[in-house]
Amino acid sequence: MDTCAAFRFYVERMLTTGDNNGMKVLLFDEETLRMMGLVFSRHLILERGVFLHDYLKSTTRKKMSFLMGIVFVRPTEANFELLKAELAEPKYRKYRIYCLLYTSPSPRDRG
């Protein structure tokens, strides 16, 4: 399985597993948004019930308790702080949190 197919499979499961059916909002960081744009079209995302998408760091989102929030971010300190603030004042019915774990090459591996 190539990297794009693996990523696509992970996101498909993220959007359709368990009680993730229904209307959703997808919250990203910059990195995960770029990756989603490479493997999913907006049409495919909409077909999975995602009606809104935005950055986790956005401060202009309105409270919409009829939507389920799916958070897809890298596990960084900054993202955890943003997530803590988001959950302190929830804007959505409930949240599912997914992290994209990757490692950057070490200086030794860069040659």
Side-chain angles (χ1 to χ4, degrees), residues 16-98:
T16 59
T17 299
D19 62 347
N20 285 0
N21 297 322
M23 296 172 60
K24 301 178 251 322
V25 58
L26 195 50
L27 302 175
F28 300 101
D29 63 11
E30 291 82 5
E31 184 89 14
T32 53
L33 179 61
R34 281 193 301 260
M35 293 177 80
M36 285 290 292
L38 291 173
V39 297
F40 276 96
S41 67
R42 288 182 189 215
H43 177 74
L44 286 174
I45 295 283
L46 186 59
E47 282 182 346
R48 272 69 175 175
V50 177
F51 290 91
L52 292 172
H53 58 276
D54 203 352
Y55 288 113
L56 180 60
K57 69 180 180 182
S58 174
T59 59
T60 60
R61 285 181 281 114
K62 305 284 187 231
K63 184 171 184 147
M64 292 184 245
S65 57
F66 58 93
L67 292 176
M68 181 163 105
I70 297 181
V71 180
F72 185 41
V73 294
R74 293 167 297 142
T76 65
E77 197 65 39
N79 284 338
F80 287 139
E81 288 299 317
L82 291 168
L83 189 55
K84 187 166 53 168
E86 177 74 23
L87 296 176
E89 294 183 37
K91 295 174 182 65
Y92 308 110
R93 175 173 40 102
K94 65 179 177 178
Y95 289 80
R96 294 283 178 145
I97 302 165
Y98 299 88

Side-chain angles (χ1 to χ4, degrees), residues 7-18 20 40 98:
F7 185 78
R8 208 173 293 117
F9 175 78
Y10 181 71
V11 173
E12 283 282 347
R13 294 292 300 263
M14 181 175 72
L15 296 177
T16 59
T17 299
N20 285 0
F40 276 96
Y98 299 88

